[in-house]
Amino acid sequence: MPSGVEIAGPSGSRYDEILTPEALDLIAVLHRELAQRRLDLLEARVRRQEELSAGGALDFLASTEAIRGDTTWRVAPPAPGLVDRRVEITGPTDKKMTINALNSGAKVWLADFEDANTPLWDNMITGQLNLKDALDRTIDYTSEEGKSYQLRPDEELATIVVRPRGWHLPEKHLLIDGQRASGSLVDFALYFAHCARRQLEKGKGPYFYLAKMESHLEARLWNDAFVLAQDALGIQQGTIRATVLIETIPAAFEMQEILYELRDHSAGLNAGRWDYLFSIIKKFRTRGADFVLPERNAVTMTAPMMRAYTELLVKTCHARGAHAMGGMAAFIPSRRDPEVNERALAKVREDKTRESGAGFDGSWVAHPDLVPICREIFDSVLGDSPNQLGKQRDDVHVTAAELLAVSQTPGDITEAGLRNNISVGLQYLANWLAGTGAVAIFNLMEDAATAEISRSQIWQWLHNDIKLADGPVVTRDLVERIIGEELAKIRQQLGDAYDENQYEQATSLFTEVALADDYVDFLTLPAYERMP
């Protein structure tokens, strides 16, 4: 065990293959060099929030105007395995999902240690084992029904791109010099230490998706982590590639600067639509009716502010030679309801057609059954080309006001919308606390981002005296009454599978993050403290 490193989590089968002295030493090196900067950047988020809550505005940064104005710089050319990204599938790193995602026919699999995962210590370590085993082709899975899952030949598999946890999340089971390590650096370092060379031997490389950043200075921190890690393992600089999710409203104003900071390691930007909505609600939660969105299922990508955000993303990426990746199709096909499928698949087609037409180089799906639809739509636009990097969007000119045009979003806030937010929040948190981070609810794949929207909308409606389109003003009494009614429906629906203790914990947590006077920045922070 390297000096100053303490493992505070329980041990398990084959953990020693992941928690090796070399991997732990890399975590320690990164922590000692970067931990204070990380904490300073998190504090900068708090100060920015205070400014916004006091009436401040967001705008493109005057201090970085020279970077935006310099038309000569480009990011690194696309890396092997990341040239053609027309369909990407997302999901957690359990055994079954690992095999299914790699076999899905998608070009890329986002192997998720973040929003589609629950940070149980066992999930974090066995997930790393599954990725290593997949690269070694020693992974297999047999279901309780006796169905066997095995990998297809390497050339048919998706490229692995790992999403570590965001900068705000700690890892309480790994202490460096008595301090909790950063979940981001733990996830990154464990994968890099074990799989970087394995990926290079297969002709690809260690690739990452970076979540929930709020500034180019946070991107600079990631870039410095990459430089340190490559030096520590003797791997050539620029081998790592990272795609950044633009999923916070502050980051939308710093897309060019984020690409610039990561330019030697950049693989592009992604339109992380659900977290983006969560961020808008969070940042402007106390700013009155002009910043109140309709209920979440009414907000579409054709809303003016969402269209401005996605068009700016494509223009920014392609001007710098970077991939622009589209958002998530979260629909889960039903085996029992063809009518639900027909309506939902029509929306998926419409969404992916709009993205491909706007110039995106590919898009996300949450379920293997959606891979063929997404691929077909992008095939029809791409033809023989692997991407649309040549499609410049010189016609796009987006202002700060257009990115912030929340009040122009069509849609209502109804009792059904309130009930949906409550039911989704309760069901998701019950599963999250039990160890599952991607949960199918009402034919949609819910993850931490959509749960964040659900509870944040309720908090905002409550604190801004919002009146339902078909009912009363949203009050604490109203929300608590509906929580009881929705819990009764869940209990009836689940029958014997209903876990009283689990839903008691979920209700307590949901009430805390949706109704407390003080808004909690991320529900996963108090939720994590409730975990073993």
Side-chain angles (χ1 to χ4, degrees):
M1 182 79 66
S3 174
V5 177
E6 179 190 348
I7 297 171
S11 187
S13 174
R14 300 180 60 204
Y15 279 24
D16 58 325
E17 293 180 39
I18 296 300
L19 299 171
T20 60
E22 296 78 12
L24 294 172
D25 192 52
L26 179 58
I27 294 170
V29 166
L30 295 171
H31 176 91
R32 287 167 182 149
E33 187 68 30
L34 305 174
Q36 189 55 52
R37 277 176 60 194
R38 168 182 167 261
L39 295 175
D40 291 346
L41 287 166
L42 292 177
E43 182 57 36
R45 289 185 184 182
V46 173
R47 291 196 301 273
R48 186 178 227 168
Q49 180 65 61
E50 288 170 350
E51 291 167 7
L52 292 174
S53 295
L58 288 172
D59 206 341
F60 300 98
L61 301 180
S63 60
T64 54
E65 195 171 350
I67 291 171
R68 297 194 300 277
D70 180 354
T71 60
T72 61
W73 63 268
R74 297 287 183 277
V75 304
L82 294 178
V83 178
D84 184 336
R85 304 174 64 178
R86 66 190 69 198
V87 191
E88 300 192 347
I89 190 168
T90 73
T93 52
D94 59 273
K95 262 191 188 183
K96 183 180 176 183
M97 183 66 196
T98 296
I99 297 169
N100 280 347
L102 290 171
N103 286 346
S104 67
K107 293 290 186 180
V108 164
W109 170 39
L110 183 152
D112 200 7
F113 288 102
E114 201 231 2
D115 272 3
N117 176 63
T118 298
L120 278 174
W121 180 236
D122 188 62
N123 283 0
M124 309 316 291
I125 305 305
T126 57
Q128 296 280 357
L129 271 168
N130 291 335
L131 295 178
K132 181 172 81 73
D133 288 350
L135 291 170
D136 290 342
R137 298 193 59 85
T138 57
I139 193 170
D140 58 56
Y141 175 74
T142 302
S143 70
E144 289 178 3
E145 299 78 33
K147 186 178 179 184
S148 179
Y149 297 80
Q150 292 182 319
L151 291 177
R152 292 177 176 170
D154 271 2
E155 60 273 16
E156 296 179 30
L157 302 181
T159 298
I160 295 171
V161 179
V162 168
R163 179 161 69 169
R165 284 168 282 183
W167 281 129
H168 62 287
L169 289 164
E171 177 46 74
K172 64 185 179 185
H173 301 104
L174 197 50
L175 307 179
I176 311 295
D177 305 326
Q179 185 180 30
R180 285 182 176 184
S182 154
S184 300
L185 295 179
V186 169
D187 300 342
F188 160 69
L190 291 178
Y191 179 72
F192 189 72
H194 295 293
C195 296
R197 288 200 172 86
R198 283 178 163 88
Q199 287 283 28
L200 290 169
E201 286 165 7
K202 289 179 179 286
K204 294 184 179 178
Y207 305 144
F208 299 90
Y209 256 109
L210 306 179
K212 292 184 176 55
M213 278 196 276
E214 296 195 12
S215 76
H216 69 286
L217 297 178
E218 294 181 19
R220 183 180 297 171
L221 185 62
W222 265 120
N223 198 71
D224 290 348
F226 295 163
V227 171
L228 282 166
Q230 288 166 134
D231 277 350
L233 267 67
I235 287 175
Q236 184 177 342
Q237 291 295 330
T239 300
I240 292 172
R241 294 299 168 84
T243 306
V244 173
L245 291 123
I246 300 298
E247 54 184 358
T248 69
I249 185 69
F253 289 90
E254 300 184 36
M255 292 187 202
Q256 294 218 45
E257 294 89 334
I258 286 168
L259 285 177
Y260 183 80
E261 293 294 343
L262 285 158
R263 59 196 180 280
D264 295 334
H265 298 108
S266 179
L269 305 177
N270 171 279
R273 60 177 72 169
W274 303 120
D275 263 304
Y276 190 72
L277 290 173
F278 161 48
S279 175
I280 289 169
I281 298 164
K282 173 162 68 172
K283 294 298 176 189
F284 298 104
R285 62 186 182 265
T286 60
R287 295 284 293 273
D290 281 350
F291 287 96
V292 174
L293 285 165
E295 60 196 50
R296 67 172 207 160
N297 290 339
V299 182
T300 70
M301 297 307 290
T302 59
M305 65 167 192
M306 300 304 282
R307 186 172 178 83
Y309 148 69
T310 53
E311 300 252 290
L312 180 61
L313 191 147
V314 174
K315 177 181 182 172
T316 301
C317 285
H318 287 184
R320 303 302 185 180
H323 278 74
M325 301 307 301
M328 170 71 83
F331 175 63
I332 304 299
S334 170
R335 302 274 193 271
R336 290 175 290 191
D337 196 333
E339 282 185 28
V340 166
N341 284 355
E342 192 176 340
R343 286 195 302 272
L345 291 176
K347 288 182 181 177
V348 171
R349 282 186 175 278
E350 183 184 326
D351 185 47
K352 300 310 176 193
T353 300
R354 178 191 50 75
E355 287 181 331
S356 62
F360 280 96
D361 300 291
S363 192
W364 278 14
V365 300
H367 193 279
D369 287 357
L370 299 184
V371 169
I373 295 170
C374 187
R375 185 174 56 226
E376 173 200 326
I377 290 166
F378 274 87
D379 284 352
S380 69
V381 171
L382 292 173
D384 294 330
S385 300
N387 52 57
Q388 300 195 76
L389 291 179
K391 185 169 183 173
Q392 301 293 305
R393 293 299 310 273
D394 297 329
D395 57 310
V396 172
H397 305 281
V398 173
T399 65
E402 287 170 324
L403 286 173
L404 294 169
V406 178
S407 62
Q408 294 177 31
T409 307
D412 294 321
I413 301 170
T414 65
E415 183 179 313
L418 175 59
R419 285 183 179 278
N420 184 73
N421 279 354
I422 289 169
S423 184
V424 167
L426 293 172
Q427 291 183 67
Y428 182 77
L429 288 177
N431 281 275
W432 197 96
L433 290 165
T436 303
V439 187
I441 304 172
F442 305 140
N443 292 111
L444 291 175
M445 184 60 79
E446 304 286 355
D447 68 5
T450 51
E452 290 281 27
I453 295 172
S454 296
R455 67 93 184 187
S456 297
Q457 283 202 314
I458 292 169
W459 193 97
Q460 187 183 35
W461 298 343
L462 181 63
H463 287 80
N464 288 273
D465 299 322
I466 296 301
K467 186 180 186 302
L468 298 176
D470 54 353
V473 170
V474 178
T475 63
R476 185 183 182 98
D477 285 347
L478 176 67
V479 175
E480 287 180 336
R481 174 172 65 79
I482 294 178
I483 286 174
E485 291 169 3
E486 292 303 314
L487 261 180
K489 290 180 190 174
I490 295 166
R491 183 184 286 109
Q492 184 177 10
Q493 180 189 339
L494 292 178
D496 292 342
Y498 184 84
D499 187 315
E500 193 76 45
N501 180 55
Q502 212 167 295
Y503 272 92
E504 205 171 280
Q505 284 192 62
T507 304
S508 168
L509 177 58
F510 185 77
T511 303
E512 176 185 333
V513 297
L515 299 181
D517 289 341
D518 294 326
Y519 179 88
V520 178
D521 271 349
F522 293 95
L523 68 81
T524 45
L525 290 171
Y528 187 47
E529 298 308 323
R530 284 166 160 83
M531 272 188 164

